[in-house]
Amino acid sequence: MGEAIVDDVSEQSATPPTLWERWQRVPLYVRIILALALGVVFGMALGERARMLAVPAKLIIRVLGALAPSLILVAVVHSLMTAKLGAGIAFRLGWLLLLNTLVAIGIGLLVANTIRPGEAAHVTPAAENSAAGKSDFDRFLDKLMEAVPESLYKPLVDNNVIAIVLIGVGFGIALRAEREQPVRPAVDIVEIAYRAILRVLSWVIGLVPLAVFGVVAGVVGTMGFRPFRALGAFVVAVLLALVLQAVWYLLRVRLLSWVRPIKLLSDMRDAIVMAFATDSSTATMPVTYKCLVEKVGLREQSARLGALIGTNFNNDGTALYEAMSALFVAQLLGRHLSLGQQLAVVGLSIIASVGAAGIPEAGTVTMALVFKAVGLPLEFIPLLLTVDWFLDRSRTVINMLGDVNVSCLMDGRRGNAEC
Ligand code: ASP
C-alpha cells in the first residue's frame, strides 16, 4: 500500500513546472543536504538569533507525532484483516518476527551503551527553560503550538476548534483523491484511511528540509558544531549495529535453513541495491519476492510469508534505530535512562517499528512516540534528520533482509521441507 504515496506526492500537469514543483522533484536526500548546508551558513551568520528558525521544525515534528498513532492503528488493523494464515504458521511467523525485532533492539541498546556516541557532546535543550524564564517569543511559540494538533483525537475532546479545523482541512484535501473510489469489501475503508494518512504524511515529510534548515541554523547559532561531532559517532554506532543485525540474520539462515549465506547475499543483490536506492522496503517488496523465488529458489509460500506478509510487521532496522536514537539523545542531554525507561524504549520501539510503513522517513514519524514515552524532547528529532537521509537507506536494507531471513527460515532445512 505504501507505494501509492510515493507516486502520488504531486499531481502532474501539462503546464511548465513551477519553481516549487521543480524543488519537489529534487530527491529528498539532496534537498536535505542543501538545507543542512544553508542551515550552517545562517546559523553562523545569525548566532543566538538563529534560535527562531527552529520554530517550523517544532511544528513539523508535532504534526508527525499526531499522525503516528493513527498510522500504527490502521497498519495493524489492515494487516490483521488481510493476512490469510493458519494458526500454526501465524504463530511461527509471529515468533520469528518478534525474536528478530528483540535481537535488533538488544543489539542497538548494547552498541549505544558501549560506544556512548551521545557523550561526544553535551547540550541543553531550549525547551528546558523554566516557565518563569519564558520570553515573549517563548509565549508566542506556546500559543502557536496549541493551535497545531499534537494528536488527531485530543482536539475533539478539548474542543480545540482551530486544531479540529486544521485536521479537517488536511484530511478533506487528502481524501479528495479517493472520493470516486468504490468501497466494496470492508477492507477498502481501511485502505482508503491508510492512503489518506500516508498522503498527509507525505506533505509533512516534504517540509522536512525546512525543519533541517531551521534546526541546523538554531544549533550552529546557539551551540556551535559540538552536537555534530556526536552525530558522527552516532552514524558509526548505528552502522555497526546494523551490520551486527545482518550477521545475526545470516547465522540463523546458515544454521536453520538450507540456504547458504554468501550465495543468498549475491542472489539478493538487486533487492539490496533497490532498498538502498529507493529508501523504501515496501517499494522494494516485489523485487525481494522475485529474487527469493527465482534466484534463491525458495518455495513461493515461504517467500510470500516473509516478503509479502511479514514485511507489514517486520522493520528490525527501524526498531534498532529508534532505540539507539532515544539512548543517543539521552546521552547528549547527560540524562540517565533507568532500566524501566530502557524497557519502555524496547516496548515502544517494537510498536513503532510495526507501525512504520515501509516508506522513506517512516521511522522518524513513529520515533516521536518513543521519545514522548521516556520524556525526551522532540526537538532533537530534526537534528537526527540531518544524518537520516543516509541512515534511513541503511536501515531499509536491514528491514528488507529481515523479510529475507524470515522467508528462508520458513523454508526450513531442506528445500522441500513442509512449512
Ligand atoms: N525507510 C524505511 C523502510 O522503508 C522505514 C524507516 O523509515 O525506518 O523500510
Side-chain angles (χ1 to χ4, degrees):
M1 283 194 297
E3 297 120 292
I5 180 199
V6 183
D7 306 330
D8 235 15
V9 175
S10 60
E11 271 140 40
Q12 308 296 332
S13 63
T15 49
T18 61
L19 201 63
W20 174 248
E21 280 165 347
R22 276 198 218 145
W23 170 247
Q24 289 292 320
R25 280 185 206 164
V26 177
L28 185 62
Y29 76 92
V30 177
R31 282 184 270 152
I32 290 178
I33 295 173
L34 287 176
L36 198 150
L38 224 74
V40 170
V41 174
F42 272 72
M44 285 167 68
L46 294 176
E48 283 282 336
R49 278 170 299 161
R51 189 164 80 88
M52 296 193 186
L53 294 176
V55 174
K58 287 191 180 169
L59 299 178
I60 290 167
I61 292 302
R62 191 169 161 100
V63 177
L64 288 180
L67 292 168
S70 305
L71 181 68
I72 293 179
L73 177 68
V74 177
V76 172
V77 170
H78 182 268
S79 301
L80 291 178
M81 270 176 103
T82 51
K84 294 188 187 88
L85 289 179
I89 291 188
F91 186 76
R92 176 139 187 256
L93 183 65
W95 162 243
L96 287 178
L97 297 180
L98 181 66
L99 181 67
N100 278 349
T101 308
L102 282 175
V103 168
I105 297 172
I107 290 176
L109 291 180
L110 186 76
V111 172
N113 273 315
T114 312
I115 297 188
R116 308 193 75 75
E119 288 185 357
H122 279 294
V123 297
T124 325
E128 288 194 343
N129 294 340
S130 69
K134 275 189 176 178
S135 62
D136 285 349
F137 175 68
D138 291 324
R139 275 189 284 275
F140 163 74
L141 196 57
D142 286 349
K143 280 270 166 273
L144 194 65
M145 285 288 195
E146 268 171 36
V148 177
E150 68 169 336
S151 144
L152 291 188
Y153 315 106
K154 200 162 166 273
L156 298 173
V157 181
D158 295 347
N159 286 334
N160 181 344
V161 179
I162 300 179
I164 293 173
V165 169
L166 284 178
I167 294 170
V169 169
F171 279 90
I173 297 175
L175 282 165
R176 280 179 69 78
E178 306 288 343
R179 63 179 183 253
E180 306 295 341
Q181 285 292 329
V183 177
R184 286 277 159 70
V187 73
D188 283 353
I189 299 173
V190 182
E191 276 182 16
I192 288 174
Y194 190 71
R195 281 204 297 268
I197 296 174
L198 288 184
R199 193 163 294 120
V200 176
L201 263 181
S202 75
W203 297 334
V204 185
I205 287 173
L207 295 173
V208 160
L210 182 65
V212 168
F213 162 72
V215 161
V216 171
V219 167
V220 171
T222 54
M223 296 178 239
F225 290 93
R226 269 176 307 138
F228 294 99
R229 260 209 313 270
L231 271 176
F234 177 63
V235 170
V236 172
V238 173
L239 290 180
L240 174 66
L242 290 175
V243 168
L244 290 176
Q245 180 68 9
V247 170
W248 157 260
Y249 288 151
L250 295 178
L251 270 178
R252 298 260 298 163
V253 165
R254 177 70 185 85
L255 295 175
L256 299 171
S257 81
W258 60 270
V259 181
R260 292 297 158 257
I262 302 296
K263 180 161 182 311
L264 178 68
L265 286 180
S266 149
D267 289 341
M268 293 306 301
R269 60 183 183 271
D270 285 353
I272 293 174
V273 171
M274 184 156 172
F276 192 82
T278 60
D279 211 353
S280 165
S281 50
T282 302
T284 311
M285 191 169 70
V287 180
T288 311
Y289 179 75
K290 199 161 176 275
C291 291
L292 282 172
V293 174
E294 290 177 10
K295 297 204 174 142
V296 182
L298 297 191
R299 284 167 309 136
E300 280 185 23
Q301 192 197 1
S302 314
R304 215 176 305 129
L305 284 171
L308 305 188
I309 299 177
T311 193
N312 285 316
F313 299 100
N314 199 17
N315 291 308
D316 300 335
T318 307
L320 175 154
Y321 177 72
E322 309 233 334
M324 287 189 83
S325 306
L327 227 64
F328 170 68
V329 170
Q331 290 165 0
L332 211 53
L333 295 171
R335 275 195 210 160
H336 173 71
L337 288 188
S338 65
L339 188 65
Q341 282 175 313
Q342 293 211 18
L343 285 178
V345 168
V346 173
L348 275 149
S349 298
I350 295 176
I351 297 171
S353 72
V354 168
I359 56 166
E361 300 302 345
T364 313
V365 180
T366 48
M367 190 187 290
L369 291 182
V370 183
F371 274 43
K372 269 190 202 162
V374 286
L376 292 172
L378 301 188
E379 66 191 74
F380 281 87
I381 296 180
L383 189 67
L384 295 174
L385 283 173
T386 56
V387 287
D388 207 45
W389 61 272
F390 176 67
L391 290 182
D392 189 10
R393 283 160 199 274
S394 311
R395 67 178 183 261
T396 303
V397 173
I398 291 296
N399 286 346
M400 185 278 296
L401 283 180
D403 302 336
V404 171
N405 166 270
V406 170
S407 303
C408 293
L409 298 192
M410 292 305 279
D411 216 51
R413 284 206 173 82
R414 280 168 300 172
N416 60 356
E418 266 301 294
C419 183

